[in-house]
Amino acid sequence: MASTEQDPLLLLRQSIASGSAIMPTASAEASAPEVGLSLATHLTFTSPSRISLPIDTPTRFVSNETPVDLRSIYFAWLNREVAIPEYNSFASQLNQDLGGKAQVHKFAYIEKLDLITWLEGASEESECIKPLAGDKDGSASAAAAVLAFKGTVVPPIGSTLGRSGKGTLDPRLASIYNSERKMGDRNSALRGIKPTDFSHVRKLAAVFMTKKPLHPSSSNISSSPAIASHQKQKRPDPIILLSPSASSLLRMTNIKSFLESSQYVPPNSLSASSSTTANMLHINRLMKDIDANRPMRFILVEGIEQFKPEYWNRVVAVFTTGQTWQFKNYKWSNPTELFRHIPGIYVGWRGEQPPESVRGWGHRVMNVAVDRWKNPGATTVDSSRWRDREAVDGIWKVIESNMRAKGWKRDQAPSSI
């Protein structure tokens, strides 16, 4: 996997971007027909040229310090819209069909979300994908991923001008492509796809840094290998847990509209139910007191199936309806203990008292009131709901204040909460 042309992840992402066929086959021959995953020995990519890779090829996607094989990556992509319980059931069935010859990796839902987001081209970075060999800072991998998704020229389907022969671009069309102006992206404009070594700049700057120390102990730091600690670290995404209760005013169908657009719509309304059917999603919010330059991405989930222990350090809020069964499988199943570590949020109708259980948990659970929905049959947002923004701003203020107190920073997350 030293070259990008043979890298399974980049080939898969490029094929998805171009809409070209991806076929599990029983051999690497060009005429091999498509077979089921349980019978396949190779995964064949048909664009830009036909390439067949062994289906058990390890990829750069790492889970628990173990590379995930190509079969598992492709299986996760095929089941990208399937909920985690169904996905695990399908994976178990495929493992039975394989008869012990191999095992399909079962992704945790955070890993699956990270993988699908990268394959779709919605993100150029991934916590779980290692750089290509020889690409220490990941710049070449990121640039190759951008080119794989955006830089492939795909002739119109069914065009007779596209090819003058098998594998040969028509000269007239090639002349047109060569006359196009290449726009490039931030990677090619700033540094190109080949990493540039700027280590000599450090030597030139060392003279000025020693003359003007920024800290009394900087003289010791300047001569220490600890200068490598200044390298940029990737901050994990914070997590918000929602209540899975059917009586909750906020569900996966309307939470994005509420927290991102400051507009409340009922979870079962047409405008909300058509927005998403996923069991996880992410929203973006600029937290000025933590990072004023870039929005933070928050992951929203209802259940905690396959929730790793370290994920709890990233949970920044828990929405609740006051029903204690919601916390049965949480790290802290006792509500009093839970809300001592993580702020709780209860959203109810304006003018109604919150449940007795919520009142009993005290100030650690924020009580938020929203106006009732005036027209249950409406398909558009009620323009008179101007007080929703006040409620949403209050929620984000509590979340941001707690994150700062727990140690969230521009480039790092707390190690414990």
Side-chain angles (χ1 to χ4, degrees):
M1 291 184 292
S3 68
T4 59
E5 290 81 1
Q6 294 290 331
D7 181 69
L9 290 179
L10 292 178
L11 284 172
L12 181 57
R13 179 170 172 165
Q14 181 178 2
S15 299
I16 292 170
S18 62
S20 57
I22 307 170
M23 302 187 302
T25 58
S27 71
E29 297 179 0
S31 60
E34 184 174 0
V35 299
L37 271 180
S38 60
L39 302 175
T41 60
H42 291 74
L43 193 63
T44 300
F45 304 92
T46 59
S47 176
S49 59
R50 189 180 179 95
I51 299 176
S52 295
L53 297 180
I55 203 165
D56 56 356
T57 301
T59 69
R60 293 182 289 115
F61 193 97
V62 177
S63 176
N64 295 325
E65 300 183 357
T66 302
V68 180
D69 61 282
L70 181 56
R71 180 192 285 110
S72 300
I73 297 290
Y74 181 61
F75 180 76
W77 169 253
L78 292 178
N79 295 276
R80 58 191 178 278
E81 297 181 356
V82 177
I84 288 295
E86 295 178 80
Y87 164 77
N88 290 334
S89 176
F90 295 159
S92 298
Q93 181 61 49
L94 179 55
N95 287 336
Q96 291 180 6
D97 296 340
L98 290 171
K101 295 182 294 183
Q103 288 287 318
V104 174
H105 176 75
K106 296 180 180 180
F107 291 90
Y109 65 83
I110 298 296
E111 293 177 337
K112 185 182 176 187
L113 175 63
D114 191 66
L115 172 64
I116 299 304
T117 302
W118 188 86
L119 288 176
E120 289 178 336
S123 173
E124 305 305 334
E125 297 179 348
S126 171
E127 299 178 17
C128 303
I129 298 178
K130 288 189 173 181
L132 290 166
D135 181 21
K136 296 182 180 180
D137 61 356
S139 59
S141 299
V146 173
L147 293 175
F149 189 75
K150 299 180 180 178
T152 303
V153 177
V154 183
I157 298 176
S159 171
T160 57
L161 278 177
R163 301 282 179 181
S164 61
K166 185 175 181 181
T168 303
L169 191 65
D170 188 285
R172 292 170 294 174
L173 192 56
S175 176
I176 295 174
Y177 288 155
N178 290 335
S179 299
E180 291 181 347
R181 179 182 177 185
K182 304 298 187 295
M183 298 301 294
D185 53 24
R186 63 184 179 92
N187 294 293
S188 59
L190 296 178
R191 61 190 177 194
I193 62 174
K194 182 179 180 180
T196 304
D197 184 11
F198 290 103
S199 59
H200 65 284
V201 179
R202 181 183 300 173
K203 298 178 181 178
L204 298 175
V207 178
F208 302 97
M209 294 175 65
T210 54
K211 288 182 178 180
K212 296 182 178 180
L214 300 177
H215 191 272
S217 59
S218 62
S219 57
N220 297 328
I221 297 176
S222 61
S223 59
S224 170
I227 193 170
S229 65
H230 291 278
Q231 294 178 349
K232 184 179 179 181
Q233 301 177 357
K234 180 171 176 59
R235 178 194 61 212
D237 297 328
I239 300 172
I240 296 177
L241 293 177
L242 304 182
S243 171
S245 174
S247 63
S248 177
L249 299 187
L250 294 174
R251 302 296 303 274
M252 297 297 286
T253 53
N254 65 343
I255 187 65
K256 190 177 183 71
S257 171
F258 186 67
L259 291 183
E260 268 196 343
S261 306
S262 300
Q263 293 284 355
Y264 177 81
V265 293
N268 57 348
S269 69
L270 293 178
S271 58
S273 60
S274 61
S275 60
T276 180
T277 57
N279 60 350
M280 69 188 79
L281 52 85
H282 63 265
I283 62 175
N284 296 305
R285 176 79 178 188
L286 184 64
M287 314 297 276
K288 295 182 180 180
D289 291 342
I290 299 177
D291 188 349
N293 297 322
R294 57 174 179 169
M296 297 185 69
R297 187 174 77 165
F298 291 79
I299 299 176
L300 281 71
V301 293
E302 285 185 346
I304 58 168
E305 294 84 2
Q306 298 191 13
F307 213 73
K308 293 184 178 181
E310 59 266 27
Y311 290 169
W312 285 104
N313 296 329
R314 297 161 54 182
V315 178
V316 296
V318 175
F319 282 81
T320 180
T321 58
Q323 297 166 298
T324 56
W325 58 263
Q326 174 186 348
F327 319 124
K328 180 180 179 181
N329 297 320
Y330 282 19
K331 179 179 180 180
W332 301 284
S333 57
N334 185 299
T336 304
E337 180 69 16
L338 170 67
F339 296 126
R340 188 174 293 131
H341 295 273
I342 308 170
I345 300 171
Y346 169 80
V347 178
W349 297 124
R350 192 178 302 278
E352 291 186 359
Q353 285 288 338
E356 184 178 350
S357 57
V358 174
R359 297 197 301 269
W361 295 332
H363 67 279
R364 293 187 176 92
V365 178
M366 178 185 183
N367 182 20
V368 180
V370 296
D371 295 322
R372 284 187 174 275
W373 188 255
K374 294 181 180 179
N375 186 3
T379 58
T380 58
V381 176
D382 186 355
S383 60
S384 65
R385 301 192 61 85
W386 54 272
R387 286 197 287 191
D388 288 347
R389 178 171 295 278
E390 180 183 359
V392 173
D393 289 344
I395 292 175
W396 283 117
K397 184 177 181 180
V398 168
I399 293 177
E400 183 172 13
S401 175
N402 175 74
M403 291 177 66
R404 290 179 56 201
K406 295 297 184 181
W408 284 87
K409 297 181 180 179
R410 182 174 62 88
D411 56 357
Q412 70 181 62
S415 56
S416 62
I417 60 173

Short mmCIF file of all heavy atoms in Angstrom, two decimals, residues 27 40 89 195 238 240 268 328 330 337:
data_model
loop_
_atom_site.label_atom_id
_atom_site.label_comp_id
_atom_site.label_asym_id
_atom_site.label_seq_id
_atom_site.Cartn_x
_atom_site.Cartn_y
_atom_site.Cartn_z
N SER A 27 -12.09 -14.54 -8.44
CA SER A 27 -10.72 -14.57 -8.95
C SER A 27 -10.35 -13.18 -9.42
O SER A 27 -11.19 -12.28 -9.48
CB SER A 27 -10.59 -15.58 -10.10
OG SER A 27 -11.25 -15.09 -11.25
N ALA A 40 -16.42 -14.54 -2.25
CA ALA A 40 -15.45 -13.71 -2.95
C ALA A 40 -14.05 -13.89 -2.38
O ALA A 40 -13.86 -14.03 -1.18
CB ALA A 40 -15.86 -12.24 -2.87
N SER A 89 -26.23 -8.05 13.24
CA SER A 89 -26.92 -9.29 12.86
C SER A 89 -26.50 -9.74 11.47
O SER A 89 -26.21 -10.92 11.25
CB SER A 89 -28.43 -9.08 12.92
OG SER A 89 -29.12 -10.22 12.47
N PRO A 195 4.81 16.38 0.37
CA PRO A 195 5.19 17.12 1.58
C PRO A 195 6.50 17.88 1.38
O PRO A 195 7.41 17.41 0.71
CB PRO A 195 5.32 16.03 2.64
CG PRO A 195 4.59 14.85 2.09
CD PRO A 195 4.69 14.93 0.60
N PRO A 238 -16.92 15.88 20.57
CA PRO A 238 -17.75 15.69 21.76
C PRO A 238 -19.06 14.98 21.40
O PRO A 238 -19.54 15.04 20.27
CB PRO A 238 -18.00 17.12 22.26
CG PRO A 238 -17.77 17.98 21.07
CD PRO A 238 -16.75 17.30 20.22
N ILE A 240 -23.21 14.08 22.46
CA ILE A 240 -24.43 14.45 23.17
C ILE A 240 -25.38 13.26 23.11
O ILE A 240 -25.66 12.74 22.03
CB ILE A 240 -25.09 15.70 22.56
CG1 ILE A 240 -24.16 16.91 22.70
CG2 ILE A 240 -26.43 15.98 23.22
CD1 ILE A 240 -24.71 18.18 22.06
N ASN A 268 -42.65 14.05 15.08
CA ASN A 268 -43.42 13.25 14.14
C ASN A 268 -44.04 14.07 13.03
O ASN A 268 -44.90 13.59 12.29
CB ASN A 268 -44.53 12.49 14.89
CG ASN A 268 -45.45 13.43 15.65
OD1 ASN A 268 -45.14 14.61 15.80
ND2 ASN A 268 -46.56 12.91 16.12
N LYS A 328 -30.01 2.97 32.58
CA LYS A 328 -29.75 1.61 33.07
C LYS A 328 -28.37 1.10 32.68
O LYS A 328 -27.66 0.52 33.50
CB LYS A 328 -30.84 0.67 32.55
CG LYS A 328 -30.66 -0.77 33.01
CD LYS A 328 -31.77 -1.66 32.46
CE LYS A 328 -31.58 -3.10 32.90
NZ LYS A 328 -32.64 -3.98 32.35
N TYR A 330 -25.85 3.04 31.43
CA TYR A 330 -24.85 4.10 31.41
C TYR A 330 -23.69 3.77 32.36
O TYR A 330 -23.80 2.88 33.21
CB TYR A 330 -25.47 5.43 31.85
CG TYR A 330 -26.28 6.14 30.78
CD1 TYR A 330 -26.77 5.45 29.66
CD2 TYR A 330 -26.57 7.49 30.88
CE1 TYR A 330 -27.51 6.10 28.70
CE2 TYR A 330 -27.33 8.15 29.91
CZ TYR A 330 -27.79 7.44 28.82
OH TYR A 330 -28.53 8.08 27.86
N GLU A 337 -25.49 10.60 40.52
CA GLU A 337 -24.07 10.46 40.21
C GLU A 337 -23.79 10.86 38.76
O GLU A 337 -22.77 11.49 38.46
CB GLU A 337 -23.63 9.01 40.45
CG GLU A 337 -22.16 8.74 40.17
CD GLU A 337 -21.24 9.42 41.18
OE1 GLU A 337 -21.73 9.84 42.25
OE2 GLU A 337 -20.04 9.52 40.89
#
